[in-house]
Each structure stands twice: as C-alpha cells, then as structure tokens.
Amino acid sequence: MTARRLWAAVEPLHAVAYFAPETAAAAKAVGLRGYWMGYFAGRLAPLGPVGPGPATSVLFGFAPGMVARALPDAWSFADPADVVRTRVEAVSDALRNLVGADHQELADLLERAVDACRFDGRPLAAAWAAVPKPADVLGRLWLATTILREHRGDGHVLAAVHAGLSGLETTLTHIGDGVIGRADVQPHRGWTDVEWDAAVESLRDRGLLDGDRLTPAGKAVRQRVEDDTDRLASAPVEALGDDLDRLLELAVPLSRAVFDAGVVPVPNPMGVSRP
C-alpha cells in the first residue's frame, strides 16, 4: 500500500523527537521532569493541559497508570505552548545535525500531503495541524511529518476500536504477528504483567491467539485493522499522485541517516524499520 510506504519513509524523521538528546534537553530546560513526562507533554501539548483520562484515550496503547504519573503534573511545570515551541525548535536542531538544512522541496511536498488530510475523529492530528507553521524549513518538515504520523495514528485507533480491540490488545496483535517483541514494548507502555497476561488470555478466549501467536482468525482481524488504517490514511498519498515517488526519493535517505546515526533504535516501539 502506498500509504504504508509514506509512513515508513517519514516515521523515522518524526521519531527523532522521541530519541534525540536535543529534545530531551529542551524538555528539561522548559521544566519537565524525566523522559516520560517530556514524552507525554511533548506529544500532547497542542491539545492544551489535557488530563490523564483524555490523554490515555488519545494515545490508546499506554497503560492509564503510566500516563497518570506524568499528567496533569506536567502542566504545573511547563505551559503547553512553551512545550510545543521548544520541542519544534529542538527537533529542528537535531535534524540539522543529522541531515543538514537544505530540504525545501521535501518540506513543500509533505505540506501538500498534509493539506489533503481530514481530521474527523482525529484529535491529535487536528491539534498538531493547528500549530503555526515554523519559519525554519526543518521545523516545517518535522511538523508536517508529525501531522501525517498522527493522522495515520488516529486512524489506526479508529480501525482497532472498530475491530473490537483495546489498546493493549492491538499491541498484542502486533507481537502475535511477529512485528515486534514483548520486551520491545511492555517497558515502554507501562502495562503490568497481570494486565498483560489478562489481555493475552482474553485474546486466546476469543480464538485470536494460540499461545503468543495469532491464529488464522487473529491474522484476519490484524489484516483488517491494517487495511483500514491504510485506507484511512490514503488521502495524502492520493493528493500527491505521481509526486509521491519524488517525496519518497527525498525522504528515504534522510530516514536512513537517522537510523545509521543511531538516533532511532532498532527494534523500536513504533515497529518501524530502516527504509
């Protein structure tokens, strides 16, 4: 699917925000405490001072208790607008150090793709789309990849909920399909062993898992979620038309450089590999 090709090409550029030292330093400087407070505040700040309930709903795959350890406390240390501003500036600096600064054409193409997005039922993508466009080309590039990423991510949540899966159950279908391993995800999502094992048992009872692997019925559900996710993310690639190939030609070497520099680890919780 062309929508999946676009995601694979630009996800590593967006993901620099989660791993680059510049981003961590910016979160600390603005007053946030610890990696996970910086993560949740940095990703959700365009929504305003959101609490743990709505945040868990939007993020979908995280344990509520993990989110509640960071929110709403984060907003007592830093204003959401300051978090957004410093995050964009920090990621711009990180990308400049990784891939250089001359990427006007790619930024333009990414923004064309963003212009085709609709945000019905997509709160996180809509929030990032409302962030003013940075003057800096790399800021524009990162913001566009973020909107596209959250547009697809919000659509993935819609697809998984439609398939009758919770956030943790959706993660277990990734693991059951061999995309990622439990050790790559559980520590980064906050689920206890009791919660994790209960979700596994629920999927086994529904005939979707055999052991830790997907059954044929589980694979069918998984495929339906992925197909719906791609379908819901198709508008940007349709708007690009033949220019999608040019976008991929420009973006893929940058994403490879991000991996080769060791900034985004492999494996990673996003399940994205070096394109």
Side-chain angles (χ1 to χ4, degrees):
M1 288 290 293
T2 52
R4 189 168 299 274
R5 292 175 64 207
L6 176 61
W7 169 75
V10 304
E11 174 76 3
L13 300 176
H14 162 78
V16 167
Y18 306 137
F19 302 106
E22 292 89 343
T23 312
K28 182 177 181 180
V30 83
L32 300 172
R33 300 185 176 184
Y35 174 83
W36 285 109
M37 182 177 284
Y39 174 92
F40 290 120
R43 192 169 171 201
L44 295 166
L47 289 166
V50 64
T56 301
S57 174
V58 168
L59 296 176
F60 192 60
F62 286 88
M66 184 176 184
V67 180
R69 287 193 290 272
L71 303 176
D73 286 356
W75 314 125
S76 67
F77 300 116
D79 181 79
D82 290 336
V83 174
V84 172
R85 175 182 55 78
T86 56
R87 189 173 186 81
V88 173
E89 291 171 355
V91 181
S92 296
D93 290 341
L95 287 172
R96 188 172 293 104
N97 293 332
L98 289 165
V99 300
D102 187 17
H103 301 292
Q104 179 73 49
E105 183 182 2
L106 177 57
D108 290 343
L109 288 169
L110 289 166
E111 288 171 347
R112 267 185 56 194
V114 166
D115 287 343
C117 291
R118 291 183 56 179
F119 300 107
D120 314 55
R122 290 177 164 96
L124 195 49
W128 278 104
V131 171
K133 185 182 297 186
D136 176 70
V137 169
L138 289 172
R140 288 173 47 208
L141 185 155
W142 182 79
L143 180 60
T145 65
T146 297
I147 297 166
L148 291 169
R149 194 266 191 187
E150 301 297 7
H151 179 268
R152 180 182 178 88
D154 285 343
H156 185 63
V157 173
L158 293 172
V161 171
H162 181 65
L165 299 173
S166 69
L168 177 52
E169 289 169 345
T170 303
T171 298
L172 291 171
T173 67
H174 280 274
I175 293 170
D177 204 25
V179 177
I180 46 178
R182 177 173 179 170
D184 303 320
V185 179
Q186 189 179 2
H188 305 288
R189 293 295 180 264
W191 300 102
T192 67
D193 288 340
V194 171
E195 293 167 329
W196 190 279
D197 294 342
V200 168
E201 197 60 37
S202 174
L203 292 180
R204 288 173 180 165
D205 290 345
R206 289 150 62 184
L208 302 181
L209 281 183
D210 181 5
D212 292 326
R213 306 299 294 178
L214 290 176
T215 64
K219 290 181 179 180
V221 170
R222 176 76 200 167
Q223 189 61 52
R224 185 163 71 249
V225 170
E226 292 302 316
D227 289 346
D228 286 345
T229 299
D230 287 336
R231 177 177 56 81
L232 292 168
S234 63
V237 295
E238 290 172 359
L240 286 167
D242 293 340
D243 287 336
L244 174 64
D245 288 337
R246 178 58 176 164
L247 187 156
L248 298 176
E249 179 184 353
L250 294 169
V252 165
L254 305 190
S255 288
R256 288 175 178 163
V258 165
F259 277 111
D260 292 345
V263 175
V264 176
V266 178
N268 51 70
M270 301 89 64
V272 67
S273 58
R274 185 181 185 275

